[in-house]
């Protein structure tokens, strides 16, 4: 039997009003109605079971019937920083990063970045993160933030223990990915990094890591490196 459909809500109380995009999805796409069971998520990591008490065109009232702590949230704390990519490739990276269990995503602009982010694109990325979280049965949707300068992006990772900088111009075999539970991962955009950007990252505690002799597309590098990191963190077992 399919799991109850999942919806993010701002606040949880005994009676919840579903609104906006989630209401439209519940009524028009999923055709849910009074009596149907759903799961509500407020981003705390708790899953709330609920029943639709009343369904009208402009609103849907749900009654919460139970709660449980999600067992699908990662124990490791992983933060992915990726250069803004062209087309919908940044969306692909956000989607896969959420499925792989990151807790936080930063998109940055750097010297060779050919793409940019505006408010609408950033909101779209956060919507992609919410949809990916629901699809993979997570209870928390990682937030996506934008840094219009590279130094600010690097500084935002200060608290993480393992700081990894995927650097395409390091010799193959450079760097290592230690076991751990706190990682910040930096991957460049299509244009890659300058030597100065690499050294700036090193000065902030980042270790360069090579992903082998081949030059990977940015989206491939991000997904590959994140997969190795999450495996080393025990999240893909
Ligand atoms: N413009 C660069 C060039 O032509 O050499 C390629 C950049 S690559 C498309 C985008 C990003 O993926 C890089 O900045 C790096 O973060 C990562 N990447 C790709 N291949 C890599 C490799 N072999 N080792 C480490 N990082 C790699």
């Amino acid at each position: 039997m399919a799991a109850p459909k999942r919806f993010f809500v701002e606040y949880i109380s005994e009676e919840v009003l579903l609104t906006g995009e989630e209401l439209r999805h519940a009524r028009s796409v999923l055709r849910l109605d009074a009596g149907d069971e759903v799961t509500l998520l407020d981003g705390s990591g708790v899953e709330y079971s609920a029943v639709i008490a009343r369904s009208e065109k402009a609103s849907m009232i749900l009654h919460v019937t139970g709660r449980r702590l999600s067992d699908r949230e990662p124990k490791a704390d992983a933060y992915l920083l990726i250069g803004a990519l062209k087309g919908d490739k940044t969306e692909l990276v956000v989607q896969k990063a959420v499925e792989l269990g990151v807790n936080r995503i930063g998109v940055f602009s750097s010297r060779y970045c050919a793409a940019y982010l505006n408010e609408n694109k950033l909101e779209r990325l956060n919507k992609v993160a919410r949809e990916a979280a629901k699809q993979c049965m997570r209870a928390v949707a990682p937030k996506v933030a934008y840094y219009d300068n590279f130094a600010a992006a690097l500084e935002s990772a200060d608290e993480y223990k393992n700081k990894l900088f995927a650097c395409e111009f390091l010799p193959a075999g450079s760097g290592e990915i230690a076991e751990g539970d706190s990682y910040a991962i930096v991957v460049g955009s299509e244009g890659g990094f300058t030597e100065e950007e690499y050294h700036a990252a090193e000065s902030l505690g980042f270790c360069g890591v090579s992903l082998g002799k081949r030059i990977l597309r940015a989206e491939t590098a991000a997904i590959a490196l994140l997969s190795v990191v999450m495996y080393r963190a025990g999240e893909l077992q």
Side-chain angles (χ1 to χ4, degrees), residues 107-192:
V107 180
F108 59 77
S109 179
S110 56
R111 176 84 171 63
Y112 293 148
C113 247
Y116 69 95
L117 242 56
N118 58 28
E119 271 310 303
N120 288 343
K121 288 185 178 180
L122 185 58
E123 177 41 38
R124 170 78 191 139
L125 291 176
N126 277 289
K127 184 164 183 259
V128 168
R130 288 192 295 273
E131 294 310 317
K134 288 197 278 189
Q135 177 276 325
C136 69
M137 305 290 276
R138 286 186 65 172
V140 178
K143 289 280 180 286
V144 183
Y146 177 58
Y147 297 92
D148 62 5
N149 79 75
F150 190 49
L154 291 176
E155 283 156 16
S156 73
D158 187 46
E159 74 207 61
Y160 294 85
K161 272 188 238 128
N162 294 291
K163 297 183 177 73
L164 303 172
F165 186 101
C167 185
E168 66 275 18
F169 44 75
L170 285 180
S174 302
E176 64 164 310
I177 298 165
E179 265 187 28
D181 59 5
S182 166
Y183 295 89
I185 301 154
V186 172
V187 176
S189 64
E190 290 93 346

Side-chain angles (χ1 to χ4, degrees):
M1 187 175 112
K5 296 302 179 195
R6 301 162 81 82
F7 298 94
F8 279 103
V9 292
E10 289 291 313
Y11 306 100
I12 288 282
S13 55
E14 267 178 46
E15 186 167 279
V16 174
L17 182 66
L18 203 63
T19 58
E21 173 68 25
E22 296 288 59
L23 170 65
R24 195 192 63 74
H25 192 65
R27 280 181 55 85
S28 317
V29 177
L30 301 173
R31 301 224 175 274
L32 295 178
D33 210 339
D36 288 335
E37 289 185 359
V38 297
T39 298
L40 300 179
L41 309 164
D42 63 351
S44 65
V46 174
E47 296 175 335
Y48 298 86
S49 39
V51 172
I52 300 174
R54 207 166 58 244
S55 174
E56 285 154 14
K57 194 161 172 39
S59 69
M60 189 178 266
I61 308 282
L62 302 104
H63 288 168
V64 173
T65 54
R67 50 174 292 156
R68 65 186 283 272
L69 191 62
S70 167
D71 60 358
R72 289 190 174 90
E73 284 308 304
K75 292 181 181 44
D77 189 8
Y79 177 24
L80 172 67
L81 279 160
I82 177 97
L85 302 178
K86 292 179 199 157
D88 60 2
K89 289 186 286 186
T90 314
E91 292 183 20
L92 172 77
V93 171
V94 166
Q95 185 186 65
K96 299 315 166 197
V98 170
E99 291 173 56
L100 287 166
V102 293
N103 277 339
R104 192 176 164 199
I105 299 170
V107 180
F108 59 77
S109 179
S110 56
R111 176 84 171 63
Y112 293 148
C113 247
Y116 69 95
L117 242 56
N118 58 28
E119 271 310 303
N120 288 343
K121 288 185 178 180
L122 185 58
E123 177 41 38
R124 170 78 191 139
L125 291 176
N126 277 289
K127 184 164 183 259
V128 168
R130 288 192 295 273
E131 294 310 317
K134 288 197 278 189
Q135 177 276 325
C136 69
M137 305 290 276
R138 286 186 65 172
V140 178
K143 289 280 180 286
V144 183
Y146 177 58
Y147 297 92
D148 62 5
N149 79 75
F150 190 49
L154 291 176
E155 283 156 16
S156 73
D158 187 46
E159 74 207 61
Y160 294 85
K161 272 188 238 128
N162 294 291
K163 297 183 177 73
L164 303 172
F165 186 101
C167 185
E168 66 275 18
F169 44 75
L170 285 180
S174 302
E176 64 164 310
I177 298 165
E179 265 187 28
D181 59 5
S182 166
Y183 295 89
I185 301 154
V186 172
V187 176
S189 64
E190 290 93 346
F193 289 116
T194 65
E195 293 263 350
E196 293 72 23
E197 287 169 337
Y198 171 54
H199 293 307
E202 272 191 311
S203 69
L204 290 174
F206 280 87
C207 299
V209 61
S210 166
L211 296 176
K213 294 187 177 68
R214 291 174 293 283
I215 296 295
L216 309 178
R217 287 178 184 272
E219 60 273 27
T220 310
I223 295 167
L225 180 52
L226 199 47
S227 299
V228 173
V229 163
M230 295 312 265
Y231 185 82
R232 295 288 280 151
E235 291 292 342
L236 296 185
Q237 289 151 7

